[in-house]
Amino acid sequence: MKNQKSIIKYMLLLFCGLTACKKALELNPITEYADANFWKETSQATAALNGAYTLLQAAMGPEGVFYGEARADNVAQNLTSLNTESLNLLTNNVNPSLRITSWSQLYAVVNQANLIIKNVRIMSQNGLYANKTTEFNQTLGQAYALRALCYFNMTRIWGALPLVTQPLKDATENYLVERADTEKVYTQIELDLDSATLLLPTSYSPSQTTKALLTAGAVNAIYTDLYMWRHQYDKALTASQKILTNTANYSLTSLTDATALENTSYARQFTHGFSTESIFEIDFNFAERGARSFYIQVYGDIGFQPAFMVSEALMTKFQPNDKRATISYNERRDIIKFFDKTNFVRSTMDDKNIILYRLSDILLLRAEALNQLDRPADAIAIVNQMKVRAGETALQPSDYNSLSKSQIEDIILNERSKELCFEGKRWFDLVRTKKAISVMQPINGLNNEGNYVWPIFLNEIRLNPLLKQNSYYQ
């Protein structure tokens, strides 16, 4: 009977993830695995890890798009949309009553990781992982990496955070967690990434799993992103180089390897997933698991009222011969990057993977670092790699030799805007490079750096009297 209860609790956890359950900082107590018999088999720890990835699906689909795109200049409001939340974000009317300002789903992943880290260690001490070192390392390493990934995303969004590294026990405890200084959060992120690096492999079998689970390469992608966010450029170069040398698992896709543009490996990385370029993506599969990414809520055919369409600002950046424009949007300004261009069935094919990191992203972050370290020619070489693949003309030394570091940074950001459009990167790019105000003020009136962070959802503050609202929103 007790084992049966454990199974029921786990199934309820999966249901919570799939139905996007939202609480305050706490998880539903079901996810605490209170039944003493749950952590008795290594298969149960694996099931808990699968539950963590399910919770990540709920946290990032499609919220990840809103966090990274909705406040930036690549998208515009679809005038037929009924989504008032997207309109509030686009017009910079960001307020703590919006559901998108809740961090509960990301903390759900954190708490699940905390449960795994604590209990898998105990299981190992009790001999349950005897002769299963690889399984132990992979389970624990992925939990560390998931926790680091979520804390990194949350600190970029909300700034200072409640730093919780132990499983939360009950509702009373959950409501009494103070926000920690961002430096403490960054320290914990690096500690978790360091731990994950020692435990995770470079690949799994089958090969698709290498893209859908956290690996050593994915950890180095998070490192690169973290170091760039913190302007630690030498460290970013070191972390990114480890990805570039892993040619067995990562290589750029092509825009010329098929007759039809939509069948190229470049286009299919967005519609079919698991490309050679992918480093880590959240795997959704409707046919097998009923899992949807809900991209159709934010992108796609304007007639079906998605939140966004492509902005005029982005369209003007593409040269006429840039093939990425054709892949990304159409003449009606529908954002079609993630959907099959023919025979798309909304009811069953809304399960496109959400790519969190791919090689082009890391290369262009590397270009930023190179430029900051006074290596503009090397930085532009990466930009040209992206341009030439897309069918654009490469920049010549005469085009950039007289430019300032800031002007070359603009070139790199412009390339990132095109290459990574709609992938949840643009807002973070603008904030990281301190260009958010100059770009967004003419569009939505953004004029205060305190407005960069998001407000904390009112419900979290009501439930936890130790939380203080971000100062801009007080």
Side-chain angles (χ1 to χ4, degrees), residues 314-351:
L314 177 61
M315 290 191 294
T316 60
K317 293 178 183 179
F318 288 98
Q319 293 179 8
N321 54 347
D322 194 322
K323 298 174 183 177
R324 295 172 298 188
T326 304
I327 287 171
S328 299
Y329 60 89
N330 61 23
E331 66 280 356
R332 294 196 316 169
R333 297 175 64 181
D334 300 340
I335 296 172
I336 58 175
K337 186 173 185 176
F338 307 99
F339 307 109
D340 295 359
K341 306 305 183 284
T342 57
N343 302 318
F344 176 71
V345 181
R346 288 172 56 86
S347 60
T348 60
M349 297 175 67
D350 181 26
D351 59 353

Side-chain angles (χ1 to χ4, degrees), residues 33-253:
Y33 300 90
D35 193 312
N37 282 336
F38 186 85
W39 302 95
K40 297 299 182 182
E41 299 176 10
T42 59
S43 61
Q44 292 174 326
T46 301
L49 181 62
N50 291 338
Y53 281 104
T54 299
L55 290 168
L56 186 65
Q57 287 180 336
M60 297 300 289
E63 281 83 352
V65 171
F66 279 88
Y67 294 133
E69 296 289 350
R71 299 183 65 190
D73 60 332
N74 278 350
V75 296
Q77 178 75 6
N78 170 20
L79 297 180
T80 69
S81 173
L82 302 178
N83 190 321
T84 58
E85 191 166 79
S86 62
L87 180 61
N88 277 310
L89 296 176
L90 284 167
T91 57
N92 198 37
N93 183 25
V94 188
N95 66 78
S97 66
L98 300 176
R99 291 291 306 182
I100 190 66
T101 64
S102 172
W103 57 30
S104 62
Q105 288 191 307
L106 285 163
Y107 267 109
V109 185
V110 168
N111 197 64
Q112 186 79 352
N114 289 342
L115 283 161
I116 296 167
I117 292 167
K118 175 184 177 179
N119 287 287
V120 165
R121 285 169 165 173
I122 295 172
M123 293 170 70
S124 179
Q125 292 168 4
N126 292 339
L128 295 178
Y129 280 97
N131 302 317
K132 295 182 178 181
T133 302
T134 298
E135 184 180 349
F136 170 78
N137 287 348
Q138 291 180 3
T139 303
L140 187 59
Q142 288 176 77
Y144 277 124
L146 281 166
R147 187 167 72 182
L149 175 65
C150 290
Y151 271 128
F152 175 53
N153 279 324
M154 286 193 291
T155 197
R156 290 193 299 177
I157 298 166
W158 289 282
L161 301 167
L163 183 58
V164 184
T165 58
Q166 293 295 320
L168 300 178
K169 297 175 183 177
D170 56 53
T172 302
E173 180 188 22
N174 295 336
Y175 302 148
L176 299 173
V177 183
E178 292 184 314
R179 299 174 79 181
D181 181 82
T182 54
E183 287 301 316
K184 291 183 179 179
V185 179
Y186 289 138
T187 297
Q188 185 62 51
I189 293 169
E190 291 201 48
L191 286 172
D192 283 349
L193 292 176
D194 290 346
S195 296
T197 298
L198 297 174
L199 296 167
L200 290 178
T202 57
S203 63
Y204 302 97
S205 181
S207 59
Q208 281 192 353
T209 313
T210 299
K211 311 298 184 176
L213 300 180
L214 286 154
T215 60
V219 169
N220 281 313
I222 302 169
Y223 268 131
T224 303
D225 209 1
L226 172 66
Y227 292 143
M228 289 303 297
W229 186 258
R230 304 197 67 197
H231 310 294
Q232 297 173 338
Y233 304 116
D234 285 314
K235 289 183 177 181
L237 289 184
T238 299
S240 61
Q241 183 61 31
K242 292 177 182 178
I243 298 171
L244 301 189
T245 56
N246 187 357
T247 54
N249 291 305
Y250 311 119
S251 59
L252 289 175
T253 54

Side-chain angles (χ1 to χ4, degrees), residues 257-269:
D257 56 358
T259 302
L261 193 58
E262 67 184 78
N263 292 329
T264 61
S265 57
Y266 182 91
R268 287 174 64 87
Q269 71 182 315

